[in-house]
Amino acid sequence: MRRLVVVSNRVADLTKSSQSGGLAVGLADSLRQRGGVWLGWDGKTADTSENLEPVSKQIGDVTQIVLPLTRQDYEEYYLGFSNSVLWPLFHYRLDLVDYKTVYLDGYRRVNARFADALMSSLREDDLIWIHDYHLLPLAAELRQRGCKQRIGFFLHIPLPPPEILSAVPRHRWLVESLLQFDVIGLQSQTDLNNLQHYVEQHLSSTMTGDGRFQWGDREVIAGVFPIGIDVDAFVEMAERPNDEVLIETRRREILGRRQVIGVDRLDYSKGLPDRLRAFARLLELYPEMRKSVALMQIATPTREEVEAYVEIRTELEALSGAINGRFADFNWTPVHYIHGTVPRDALAALFRSSQVGFVTPLRDGMNLVAKEYIAAQSMDNPGVLVLSKFAGAAEDLREALIVNPYDVDDMARNLCRALTMPLDERQDRQRALMERIRKRDNASWLNNFLATLEHSKSPPPLD
Ligand code: GDG
């Protein structure tokens, strides 16, 4: 088995266990099994005068290499090109793209530093796996430095159609850089189709049915590798009694009230304002729902230094206040809005005790919350997942109630349907969904990707 080298914007804490979530844990396990290296930013910003050399730490068979960024790198590479250009662009939000040439300069500079930091640690037969939109040009930088190893890339976010992608300056350079990878992993068939269309329209190359195409003297494989969760670990966490959640659940049961739950990073791609409006519309269209259901929305702070994130926070606070002002009674608050982070075990227990999982992103690579909500349900009395058709997860989770996140009335009607669904239908849907998330779990994502990268196989077909 070849040694694995993982590169991502941030390094995960390899000493932590399940608290940090499925992806990091799955990758860390794989690194431990094969031995390897994990390179990434440590989340700190240093003054230019400080030492910017990468720092290595040995944790068992894994070498962790962390790279500090300067404040300028952080502003241009991280807040700038990654999160004010690529993130909105790749989520189809051209209106929010804030392009500046210095951002692109910073992005290239930091990718070059990642490449410099990695080159001296590589062995001849390493497998290199690079993650996400922060590091699109990293394979190209490594190739320029003579790297011959197989390099894979996984894009965690959507890939937009060429009409959108081509709106950003230097889009051709971006995609040509991407083609320096040997394997390009995407979350959904829609994303793969978009890549195929770009390559045909702008680079005059054609992709074969099994995702292979020729680029110069190289063969590139592109494929769909839907990311999943560690189902058993999440089931176990959800089944474990959590006293605080239990007290709240009992109180709701006594009052005969149901709970709709939403959990997201506070990001404009997650469709939060229309989700809140849809909940208000439910109360408007079906007055009998008043006092019998509440929405708990957990919105975890993220990227608070980017203007668009400040705006969405203000909007949501105003909206939840307005809905509560309009509908609340002395003993019932319709929207419980939490701007904060909840421990993972409490989250699992909250999913289990909520009758509806409300997941309505405007665009999402996959959306792991949808899969976690399913894993957390009890078969005796499962809740219902209401899921946006624009989440990558919707390609697979067909037994969820699929909604249009731009259509507030459609979401309200489906919320009502979920809240009044008979037990046998809920159980049928839950059984099917559980099978689906088990089939495409964290381990199968990891193994399929690494097998494709290692053996240059075509990606396994999806059904
Ligand atoms: C990107 C792509 C893709 C959230 N709030 C809390 C908390 N979370 C956890 C959830 C879930 C994770 O964070 C969020 O994952 P998502 O997949 O929903 O979304 P992104 O963060 O946008 O992730 C996405 C993913 O990468 C993987 O490829 O699916 O499409 O955008 O695990 O449970 N966890 C805790 N407290 C919180 O308050 N503990």
Side-chain angles (χ1 to χ4, degrees):
M1 215 192 277
R2 297 206 231 174
R3 196 175 76 140
L4 181 62
V5 175
V6 173
V7 189
S8 57
N9 172 54
R10 291 285 296 269
V11 279
D13 185 344
L14 293 168
T15 55
K16 270 197 196 160
S17 60
S18 59
Q19 267 301 60
S20 49
L23 169 64
V25 173
L27 274 171
D29 285 349
S30 214
L31 277 172
R32 275 188 281 266
Q33 272 165 24
R34 292 167 167 259
V37 176
W38 194 328
L39 171 79
W41 174 40
D42 59 4
K44 296 185 186 131
T45 51
D47 291 336
T48 21
S49 54
E50 288 178 46
N51 187 355
L52 286 174
E53 289 303 305
V55 179
S56 297
K57 189 160 91 181
Q58 197 65 30
I59 306 166
D61 285 338
V62 183
T63 311
Q64 190 182 60
I65 309 175
V66 295
L67 206 60
L69 295 182
T70 63
R71 181 75 208 173
Q72 186 188 0
D73 291 338
Y74 175 67
E75 280 168 11
E76 295 173 358
Y77 150 83
Y78 181 75
L79 295 177
F81 200 74
S82 297
N83 287 313
S84 300
V85 179
L86 293 178
W87 179 272
L89 179 78
F90 280 39
H91 286 87
Y92 298 52
R93 291 298 300 271
L94 279 176
D95 57 319
L96 295 177
V97 170
D98 174 22
Y99 179 85
K100 292 190 175 74
T101 310
V102 289
Y103 290 170
L104 181 61
D105 296 343
Y107 186 70
R108 299 182 77 155
R109 182 176 67 242
V110 172
N111 270 273
R113 282 190 50 217
F114 267 69
D116 287 337
L118 194 59
M119 278 309 283
S120 57
S121 308
L122 291 178
R123 295 186 196 153
E124 209 170 292
D125 65 344
D126 278 345
L127 275 185
I128 308 174
W129 192 3
I130 294 169
H131 289 259
D132 234 357
Y133 59 102
H134 315 84
L135 303 172
L136 291 168
L138 186 51
E141 292 287 348
L142 289 166
R143 300 280 184 229
Q144 277 170 25
R145 288 162 179 74
C147 172
K148 299 269 186 304
Q149 286 85 340
R150 291 189 64 73
I151 317 179
F153 178 75
F154 186 75
L155 184 65
H156 290 258
I157 66 175
L159 189 90
E163 293 74 18
I164 290 183
L165 195 51
S166 61
V168 74
R170 309 300 311 274
H171 56 91
R172 204 187 143 104
W173 165 79
L174 268 178
V175 182
E176 283 180 355
S177 304
L178 191 60
L179 300 183
Q180 295 302 314
F181 288 97
D182 295 294
V183 175
I184 302 167
L186 300 163
Q187 297 269 31
S188 71
Q189 189 61 46
T190 308
D191 301 329
L192 182 62
N193 294 346
N194 289 339
L195 178 63
Q196 179 177 4
H197 294 153
Y198 185 97
V199 167
E200 284 169 4
Q201 288 172 27
H202 291 269
L203 304 177
S204 308
S205 179
T206 39
M207 193 186 283
T208 61
D210 62 354
R212 290 168 192 267
F213 55 93
Q214 204 62 36
W215 182 245
D217 57 356
R218 320 188 47 255
E219 185 182 62
V220 183
I221 302 177
V224 182
F225 300 87
I227 200 165
I229 62 168
D230 181 341
V231 178
D232 288 331
F234 210 84
V235 168
E236 200 250 316
M237 199 164 16
E239 284 176 349
R240 219 180 298 146
N242 179 304
D243 289 344
E244 283 175 316
V245 175
L246 208 62
I247 294 166
E248 268 309 298
T249 310
R250 289 281 174 270
R251 182 174 167 271
R252 266 193 289 117
E253 281 168 0
I254 292 165
L255 294 166
R257 284 185 187 154
R258 273 84 47 83
Q259 179 162 278
V260 174
I261 192 160
V263 176
D264 310 76
R265 282 185 306 98
L266 209 181
D267 194 293
Y268 49 77
S269 66
K270 302 292 183 183
L272 295 169
D274 276 348
R275 186 181 310 172
L276 259 56
R277 286 188 192 102
F279 186 73
R281 189 79 179 124
L282 170 85
L283 304 176
E284 240 168 42
L285 288 176
Y286 310 95
E288 68 278 15
M289 291 286 171
R290 294 180 196 174
K291 293 187 96 163
S292 86
V293 61
L295 168 67
M296 176 179 282
Q297 177 61 55
I298 298 166
T300 313
T302 179
R303 304 174 198 162
E304 289 178 301
E305 288 174 72
V306 177
E307 183 56 29
Y309 289 77
V310 177
E311 284 168 16
I312 184 94
R313 176 181 174 182
T314 313
E315 184 181 3
L316 280 175
E317 283 169 359
L319 207 52
S320 55
I323 298 170
N324 284 339
R326 179 168 166 209
F327 292 102
D329 207 340
F330 71 93
N331 59 357
W332 170 62
T333 309
V335 178
H336 187 168
Y337 174 75
I338 300 161
H339 178 248
T341 306
V342 170
R344 198 160 169 79
D345 53 347
L347 209 58
L350 284 167
F351 284 148
R352 192 174 179 86
S353 66
S354 299
Q355 286 62 42
V356 180
F358 201 16
V359 182
T360 59
L362 303 177
R363 209 40 84 168
D364 219 332
M366 177 55 57
N367 196 294
L368 294 179
V369 170
K371 299 192 173 188
E372 291 166 355
Y373 179 78
I374 295 164
Q377 298 312 299
S378 79
M379 203 51 215
D380 294 345
N381 189 17
V384 179
L385 177 65
V386 176
L387 177 62
S388 160
K389 64 176 175 178
F390 298 124
E395 280 188 5
D396 191 32
L397 303 181
R398 289 167 233 159
E399 290 78 13
L401 296 185
I402 304 293
V403 295
N404 178 352
Y406 292 95
D407 184 344
V408 168
D409 283 3
D410 179 46
M411 286 190 280
R413 278 193 301 273
N414 276 287
L415 270 183
C416 181
R417 184 171 170 207
L419 287 162
T420 52
M421 190 179 283
L423 177 63
D424 55 349
E425 184 181 347
R426 283 189 275 130
Q427 286 174 325
D428 287 348
R429 287 174 186 269
Q430 172 65 18
R431 212 171 286 119
L433 287 168
M434 201 64 185
E435 210 172 291
R436 290 188 186 279
I437 62 166
R438 279 197 186 284
K439 192 166 166 201
R440 297 193 183 157
D441 66 356
N442 190 25
S444 80
W445 169 74
L446 218 127
N447 294 335
N448 287 341
F449 187 90
L450 288 177
T452 304
L453 182 61
E454 188 157 15
H455 307 296
S456 187
K457 294 199 306 196
S458 290
L462 302 170
D463 47 40

